Amino acid sequence: MSVKPIKLAKLRRSCSTCHLRTLCLPRSLDRDAMNALDALVGSRVLRERDHLYRRGQASHSLYVVRSGSVEVHIEAPSGDEQVIGFYLPGDLVGLDALADAQHSTTCVALETSNLCTLPYSRLEALCSRTPKLNRQLDSLLARELCSEQQLLLSLGRRGLEQRLAVFLLDLSRRWGTLGYSSARFRLTMTRGQIASYLGSAPESVSRAFSRLREAGVVRLQGRDIHLLDMARLVELSVAPGPFRHVQPAS
Amino acid sequence: MSVKPIKLAKLRRSCSTCHLRTLCLPRSLDRDAMNALDALVGSRVLRERDHLYRRGQASHSLYVVRSGSVEVHIEAPSGDEQVIGFYLPGDLVGLDALADAQHSTTCVALETSNLCTLPYSRLEALCSRTPKLNRQLDSLLARELCSEQQLLLSLGRRGLEQRLAVFLLDLSRRWGTLGYSSARFRLTMTRGQIASYLGSAPESVSRAFSRLREAGVVRLQGRDIHLLDMARLVELSVAPGPFRHVQPAS
DNA sequence: CGTAGTCTTGAAGATAGTCAACCGGGGTGG
DNA sequence: CCACCCCGGTTGACTATCTTCAAGACTACG
């Protein structure tokens, strides 16, 4: 909110001059470590629908979204797909391959996007020399775990409107962190992708959006969204879902 | 399956003599590293419904389930709970606190359980001296991430019966890995907890069980379950869920 | 043997999935 | 340059599934 919007034109291959540096991996790294990181960072550009990696592919790098946005999904043997996350500038992608050097997910660009690449082998080497970076990585892994848990399981059940509210508030917060408006932004994904992410059908998502619009909670035209009534959104997002499952304290 | 059942009586505080050692953290560690690990492992016993840790609590340790089973859930501000995982012997618990040294989840014993405790501070110190252990930890973190993704999002949608099939097959595989029967085991959690985990209501889970029983897929008495028709279960678990969301290759 | 918590089953109502039609915009090719 | 087409989005109608409320059975435990 008080952060200045990040000017994409000024993003560079060098971490030390990158406007994302306070939000990205090098956060809290000292000068030396950052320079070492710089030395191994590569760059990659994707157009809409280009794949960053596919399920089953051997993994060579971690990635950081520098501009644009990407979608990560898993593919069932039966062929259908399930979106498990949307990633914005500053987000780390590709952690799933840390387990066995092979991607279990597929990553696709939602729009033209720039990414930093961090080759595993060199990153690992640097990590063992730089405990702080190592801990930073662990921390990010754990954070990813938590956010998966929080979101995808807060999204776990309740009505679709409530899940949609959680989803919108999450995006809002993240755009805000990046210095953009948290009240007004563009959804870079289709209704179908949102539906998949929320475990629903495109038509249902469309209907849920319409209800929010009619209730004056959001303003919508196409993929541009304006959050008009944050309070109501928050209220929806924390709405006491049906599932009690309480157990008395010990 | 060909692995011998683990005799709980023979589990010890020493990793090198623990029957879980090939499945647990020390897997693939050499003798020296394992001894070092031994030196920092503590022990803890929980009775049914005892809390291992609670949301918001400062975190001091990672934990490994040695015997028994525990449940991890998140608590919404509104007070309702959502189960996000069940953990069996050999499973690592408490990774969520790696992000900011504070638990974002709550962990409760489902039955009398023994756990190993690994104090962060000493574990970290050992990690920086033992890159292999460090990578092992990272790998486990990533694996946790993957399984969360795979399960909770394969569980993402489709009918409740199909989600239940995925759940049962997951438990079956895990008990099998531990050397127990993968066809016959005891559900250590209530229907309500299963329901919460699957994003449903206890009654619906009960009904889904009944349908599986009537179809001859499982035999049930109370919490003891017998998987009679694995093929059918697998079929259910991979059933082509409704959600297409296909996008043409680039 | 009684009680409390868990599990099952029934019936009614709500939510969301499915099928289908239609609209609108952007890109393509004539 | 314009018309057409394709894809994404919206809306409607119908139906299946799941949630909810309620009652009763079973089990474990005191």
Side-chain angles (χ1 to χ4, degrees), chain A residues 71 78 80-82 84 96 99 124 134-135 138-139 146 149 153 157 193 199-200 238 241 243 245 247, chain B residues 71 78 80-82 84 96 99 124 134-135 138-139 142 146 149 153 157 193 199-200 238 241 243 245 247:
Chain A
E71 165 235 65
S78 55
D80 50 18
E81 306 174 353
Q82 162 90 37
I84 62 170
D96 63 286
E124 242 175 39
N134 202 340
R135 231 165 305 135
D138 285 356
S139 171
C146 287
Q149 289 178 350
L153 293 159
R157 203 83 330 237
Q193 288 167 329
S200 183
V238 300
F243 306 130
H245 163 254
Q247 47 191 6
Chain B
E71 165 235 65
S78 55
D80 49 18
E81 306 174 352
Q82 162 90 36
I84 62 171
D96 64 287
E124 243 176 36
N134 202 339
R135 229 165 306 136
D138 284 357
S139 172
C146 287
Q149 289 177 351
L153 293 158
R157 198 81 331 235
Q193 289 166 328
S200 184
V238 301
F243 306 131
H245 162 256
Q247 46 191 4

Side-chain angles (χ1 to χ4, degrees), chain A:
Chain A
M1 341 271 180
S2 65
V3 185
K4 270 206 203 150
I6 289 146
K7 296 188 189 96
L8 298 183
K10 294 194 75 175
L11 293 170
R12 306 266 298 287
R13 261 206 45 200
S14 157
C15 292
S16 46
T17 63
C18 177
H19 282 219
L20 285 170
R21 69 180 177 281
T22 55
L23 303 165
C24 179
L25 196 65
R27 177 182 44 182
S28 82
L29 286 189
D30 58 35
R31 187 169 213 85
D32 285 349
M34 202 183 291
N35 286 338
L37 197 59
D38 262 348
L40 59 78
V41 171
S43 186
R44 185 145 169 206
V45 181
L46 297 177
R47 312 275 275 278
E48 190 177 341
R49 300 193 181 196
D50 282 351
H51 284 65
L52 179 58
Y53 55 79
R54 293 165 193 263
R55 176 203 151 94
Q57 199 172 301
S59 157
H60 306 108
S61 297
L62 281 183
Y63 306 91
V64 177
V65 180
R66 210 187 316 145
S67 70
S69 52
V70 301
E71 165 235 65
V72 171
H73 67 251
I74 56 180
E75 293 161 2
S78 55
D80 50 18
E81 306 174 353
Q82 162 90 37
V83 174
I84 62 170
F86 301 107
Y87 295 84
L88 309 184
D91 290 339
L92 206 54
V93 185
L95 288 171
D96 63 286
L98 230 66
D100 53 0
Q102 183 176 330
H103 287 289
S104 60
T105 60
T106 298
C107 178
V108 183
L110 296 170
E111 56 188 322
T112 301
S113 303
N114 287 274
L115 297 103
C116 293
T117 64
L118 301 108
Y120 276 135
S121 52
R122 304 179 61 186
L123 188 61
E124 242 175 39
L126 181 57
C127 270
S128 55
R129 276 183 286 124
T130 317
K132 197 153 192 175
L133 177 60
N134 202 340
R135 231 165 305 135
Q136 179 75 357
L137 243 180
D138 285 356
S139 171
L140 281 171
L141 251 173
R143 198 177 304 278
E144 180 76 7
L145 198 66
C146 287
S147 77
E148 289 274 337
Q149 289 178 350
Q150 285 291 344
L151 252 169
L152 289 162
L153 293 159
S154 257
L155 295 172
R157 203 83 330 237
R158 330 165 187 274
L160 180 51
E161 268 172 64
Q162 292 159 2
R163 279 178 280 163
L164 193 54
V166 173
F167 171 69
L168 291 175
L169 286 173
D170 182 54
L171 279 183
S172 165
R173 184 187 52 74
R174 290 161 71 191
W175 284 121
T177 304
L178 288 170
Y180 294 100
S181 167
S182 59
R184 213 174 163 173
F185 49 90
R186 183 171 177 74
L187 301 167
T188 57
M189 65 295 286
T190 68
R191 300 289 192 265
Q193 288 167 329
I194 297 174
S196 172
Y197 181 64
L198 298 183
S200 183
E203 296 95 326
S204 298
V205 169
S206 188
R207 271 185 253 274
F209 268 129
S210 295
R211 281 189 301 256
L212 289 181
R213 177 165 41 74
E214 281 156 21
V217 179
V218 304
R219 219 166 77 85
L220 260 180
Q221 30 201 14
R223 296 192 184 174
D224 291 313
I225 189 165
H226 198 155
L227 310 184
L228 300 171
D229 189 347
M230 284 293 211
R232 181 86 189 97
L233 267 185
V234 171
E235 198 179 308
L236 273 174
S237 73
V238 300
F243 306 130
R244 231 88 41 203
H245 163 254
V246 274
Q247 47 191 6
S250 56

Side-chain angles (χ1 to χ4, degrees), chain B residues 121-142:
Chain B
S121 52
R122 302 179 62 185
L123 188 60
E124 243 176 36
L126 181 56
C127 270
S128 54
R129 274 183 287 124
T130 317
K132 197 153 193 175
L133 177 60
N134 202 339
R135 229 165 306 136
Q136 179 76 356
L137 243 180
D138 284 357
S139 172
L140 280 172
L141 251 172

